[in-house]
Amino acid sequence: MVQKINPQSKFHSTVCSALLAVTLCLQSNIPVFAGISYATENAGTNNTSATVPKEEWALIIGIDKFTDPDWQLNYASKDARAFSELLKSKKGFKQDHVSLLTNEQCTIAEFRLAIESVGRKAAPSDTVLIYLRTRGVTESSTDKQPYRKPFFAMSDTEPSHLSETSVPMGTFTAYLISKLEAHKIIVIADTDFSAQAEVTFMDDLDKLRQGQSLYMLSSCSSGELSWESTKLHSGIFTAELLRALRSSPRDKSIIDDVGNSLRERVNSLANTVRVGRSQNPSFASIHQNSGSCVW
């Protein structure tokens, strides 16, 4: 049976939980599930869910240059490098456990190979973190298909062949679950329309392995763009996320006001980039952990 938890608290509780979940998941010695959105109820004992993650692995993606010149970004590869360095210097990830792919290194083929590679390395008791800083793109709508299917663009994505040359948001989490046996999978997506990848979470519940959890922190809602700032020389969501994580020591879960201010700060910055624009970070998670739900 699926249990849905729909807290009545304000958004800051969601973002606090999101950042808390990210911070906790980056700490291998704290086996805590936070920010639960959905969980399965399952009678019986499950030793896997109580297993402390042993190793942390990360795949960091940052793409500025695309086959379509209209898609070009300015700071994606820079943000990816900054996030990679933070994991190694601040969060204790081992140098050889962090893979960084930028620009032409991250074709659709190389992306799939990288996912398969980390899948082979990560044990069932480990944590895998995937950071995506790229374009979110959509198919052209037609009379027969008015819904515009969203994708994560890779460096060689062809606008006329999105299905074959990019990563569909609608099946992204199911794809990760099929390739990764890790105890915890964390996805941080700083892309346009990124929350669209959360839409299928309920469908993915029965795909999770026993004791497995998947967390997703998205830079914006499913209908929004993810903005960059020339003043910050960064994507505004990643700039705020890095600020939050840098101010949260490895031996401390989170500073209370970090999550409380994240949405406000990101929205405020979006408005400075383009007056009247908004950008609302989103958090979702699914868990196969014997009905153990914590908010």
Side-chain angles (χ1 to χ4, degrees):
M1 182 173 73
V2 174
Q3 178 183 11
K4 181 175 180 179
I5 299 176
N6 184 20
Q8 300 300 315
S9 56
K10 294 183 179 180
F11 178 85
H12 90 268
S13 295
T14 301
V15 180
C16 279
S17 296
L19 287 171
L20 177 60
V22 171
T23 305
L24 289 171
C25 287
L26 297 181
Q27 300 177 23
S28 61
N29 60 331
I30 304 179
V32 177
F33 297 106
I36 305 303
S37 294
Y38 304 102
T40 59
E41 290 184 336
N42 182 21
T45 302
N46 175 18
N47 294 327
T48 305
S49 64
T51 302
V52 178
K54 302 299 184 183
E55 299 279 352
E56 300 100 353
W57 303 84
L59 173 60
I60 311 300
I61 305 295
I63 306 173
D64 295 307
K65 309 303 179 186
F66 303 90
T67 54
D68 189 328
D70 292 335
W71 294 352
Q72 309 306 317
L73 294 169
N74 296 308
Y75 310 114
S77 58
K78 172 181 174 290
D79 284 348
R81 286 190 290 270
F83 194 81
S84 174
E85 289 306 312
L86 179 140
L87 292 182
K88 291 180 285 188
S89 64
K90 184 77 173 177
K91 297 301 176 184
F93 277 61
K94 297 176 182 177
Q95 292 277 342
D96 62 354
H97 284 35
V98 179
S99 299
L100 172 66
L101 297 178
T102 60
N103 293 324
E104 67 276 0
Q105 295 174 328
C106 195
T107 62
I108 183 63
E110 290 300 324
F111 174 78
R112 290 169 178 160
L113 287 173
I115 293 292
E116 292 173 1
S117 176
V118 73
R120 289 191 298 270
K121 295 173 183 176
S125 60
D126 291 351
T127 293
V128 172
L129 184 151
I130 297 167
Y131 170 86
L132 290 169
R133 176 80 165 86
T134 182
R135 276 290 187 194
V137 296
T138 60
E139 289 179 327
S140 299
S141 59
T142 64
D143 292 339
K144 293 183 178 180
Q145 191 175 9
Y147 171 70
R148 300 177 63 169
K149 189 182 298 184
F151 299 84
F152 295 118
M154 299 292 110
S155 65
D156 61 341
T157 293
E158 292 290 344
S160 58
H161 296 89
L162 290 180
S163 296
E164 297 83 11
T165 62
S166 59
V167 180
M169 292 189 190
T171 57
F172 181 59
T173 54
Y175 170 71
L176 293 181
I177 292 168
S178 73
K179 298 295 183 181
L180 305 173
E181 295 185 8
H183 180 67
K184 294 179 183 176
I185 303 170
I186 311 167
V187 180
I188 301 176
D190 188 350
T191 77
D192 311 306
F193 324 122
S194 51
Q196 189 66 40
E198 301 169 10
V199 171
T200 60
F201 264 36
M202 285 296 291
D203 296 332
D204 296 335
L205 263 173
D206 61 355
K207 300 180 180 69
L208 288 173
R209 295 169 177 83
Q210 191 73 356
Q212 194 172 39
S213 298
L214 189 150
Y215 302 81
M216 183 159 185
L217 182 56
S218 303
S219 64
C220 61
S221 72
S222 58
E224 292 178 330
L225 300 179
S226 199
W227 297 95
E228 293 188 322
S229 168
T230 55
K231 182 178 180 180
L232 296 173
H233 300 283
S234 175
I236 60 176
F237 170 79
T238 290
E240 287 304 306
L241 179 65
L242 291 174
R243 182 188 66 83
L245 293 176
R246 284 171 181 144
S247 63
S248 179
R250 182 169 170 78
D251 60 353
K252 188 174 182 179
S253 61
I254 193 169
I255 297 175
D256 291 340
D257 66 351
V258 168
N260 197 22
S261 63
L262 180 65
R263 187 194 193 197
E264 179 182 345
R265 290 177 64 88
V266 169
N267 250 323
S268 177
L269 287 167
N271 193 56
T272 64
V273 173
R274 187 73 62 86
V275 175
R277 297 295 183 180
S278 62
Q279 183 175 332
N280 298 282
S282 175
F283 173 66
S285 61
I286 50 176
H287 308 266
Q288 228 301 351
N289 62 343
S290 298
S292 175
C293 302
V294 181
W295 180 263

